[in-house]
Amino acid sequence: MKPTLPDASAGIGLRRALLGALQEAPAGAFDFLECAPDNWIGIGGKYGAALEQLSARHPITCHGLSLSLGGVTPLDETFLARVRRFLDRHQVALYSEHLSYCTDDGHLYDLMPIPFTEEAVRHVAARIRRVQEILGRRIAVENVSYYAAPYQAMDEVDFVNAVLAEADCDLLLDVNNIYVNAINHGYDAHDFLARMPTARIASYHIAGHYDEADDLKVDTHGAAVKEEVWSLLQSAYRLHGVHPTLLERDFNFPAMPVLLAEVERIRELQRAAGRAEIPVAARG
């Protein structure tokens, strides 16, 4: 069995464009890899062989793209059964999905925001519970970036907390999404961060974004992480403790040493948090 992923660990996304560089990366360059099962289930040939090789050498986490937890079309339970086999095959300790929807009589190929209502809380939570039942494991859901809100009867932070409690699932806390949403929707990022439930945080994501304007940021995963987001990650470690943290980069890839320098910066922040012996906020 693979060792359990330690809290103080830094990972990078397993993207096809990076396969060669990841296979050639020096030992210890990163602690884990994250892939989207949706993009790898049933893949054979050279890509499948590369996945098998990397999975044998490194811990793998998984981040889904197409469950559409907030959608109204029935969950694809056949696909979920395939996901379960994939997770078991690669001994995946952490599986996460987005707190959004992406289907409406077919795939929308985007992550759409859910109305922040009590009805939506009950609907999404029931679907998450069913996903956990089929997969035979707890999952984490990610707070997402969004640019228009269909209806807000409650604040985003209250909606996220309510879904987590009702579903009894974990949280993948995306630090960049907090920053982007705070700018775009005019709330305080540090207040949002402080109100996240410490006990439910399973891992973090960090990524770069595009500065469209002073009051409009676009979550692209195609640029270096901004200093403000690094600072927010440091605050997350101080408030909620260190957990496995992934550097997300989906396109516009720089040379691998540049990406690995960002992975190393995650490690530096984790080590600094450990040296400070920061008291973690009361769990509950």
Side-chain angles (χ1 to χ4, degrees):
M1 293 291 291
K2 295 180 183 177
T4 302
L5 195 62
D7 283 337
S9 55
I12 192 169
L14 201 171
R15 306 293 184 259
R16 293 188 188 182
L18 296 177
L19 278 177
L22 293 173
Q23 289 173 300
E24 296 170 4
F30 48 83
D31 300 311
F32 66 95
L33 293 168
E34 181 189 84
C35 72
D38 321 58
N39 294 335
W40 291 94
I41 289 174
I43 296 298
K46 66 176 184 179
Y47 291 126
L51 172 62
E52 293 294 334
Q53 181 190 70
L54 288 167
S55 175
R57 292 170 51 195
H58 307 285
I60 300 289
T61 64
C62 285
H63 189 46
L65 299 172
S66 57
L67 290 192
S68 198
L69 293 175
V72 296
T73 55
L75 288 167
D76 188 341
E77 297 194 0
T78 300
F79 173 69
L80 277 167
R82 299 180 73 192
V83 170
R84 180 169 183 166
R85 291 193 293 271
F86 184 92
L87 301 181
D88 290 344
R89 176 182 178 87
H90 295 285
Q91 301 176 47
V92 174
L94 172 65
Y95 175 70
S96 58
E97 249 286 2
H98 300 83
L99 187 53
S100 63
Y101 74 96
C102 60
T103 57
D104 183 15
D105 193 25
H107 280 278
L108 301 173
Y109 301 102
D110 209 344
L111 299 172
M112 307 298 292
I114 303 169
F116 299 155
T117 66
E118 292 289 350
E119 181 182 10
V121 168
R122 294 190 294 271
H123 173 73
V124 176
R127 288 166 71 88
I128 293 171
R129 290 195 300 269
R130 179 57 180 158
V131 168
Q132 293 186 139
E133 180 182 353
I134 295 171
L135 296 181
R137 66 178 68 209
R138 292 175 68 86
I139 71 168
V141 295
E142 179 191 54
N143 57 298
V144 298
S145 59
Y146 61 98
Y147 305 93
Y151 184 72
Q152 292 186 325
M154 55 202 304
D155 291 338
E156 178 191 355
V157 66
D158 294 326
F159 177 76
V160 172
N161 276 303
V163 169
L164 296 172
E166 180 77 12
D168 189 20
C169 65
D170 295 326
L171 172 66
L172 190 167
L173 187 59
D174 191 305
V175 176
N176 186 64
N177 287 351
I178 294 177
Y179 179 80
V180 165
N181 288 349
I183 297 295
N184 293 345
H185 302 291
Y187 63 72
D188 184 273
H190 288 274
D191 177 69
F192 186 104
L193 179 64
R195 293 173 63 188
M196 289 290 93
T198 299
R200 293 191 183 275
I201 297 173
S203 64
Y204 300 104
H205 273 183
I206 192 166
H209 60 266
Y210 177 67
D211 293 319
E212 179 72 30
D214 288 344
D215 59 351
L216 177 58
K217 312 301 178 184
V218 182
D219 179 41
T220 61
H221 301 179
V225 179
K226 307 284 187 179
E227 287 301 322
E228 296 88 348
V229 179
W230 286 118
S231 177
L232 199 60
L233 179 63
Q234 185 176 34
S235 295
Y237 290 159
R238 184 181 69 250
L239 288 166
H240 303 297
V242 170
H243 295 286
T245 304
L246 181 89
L247 172 68
E248 286 192 292
R249 189 68 175 257
D250 292 341
F251 70 99
N252 193 27
F253 297 108
M256 181 56 67
V258 177
L259 289 178
L260 294 181
E262 289 194 295
V263 171
E264 186 57 33
R265 186 162 181 183
I266 293 172
R267 288 170 163 172
E268 290 171 359
L269 292 177
Q270 292 178 338
R271 287 193 293 265
R275 287 195 301 269
E277 297 183 351
I278 299 166
V280 177
R283 296 181 179 268

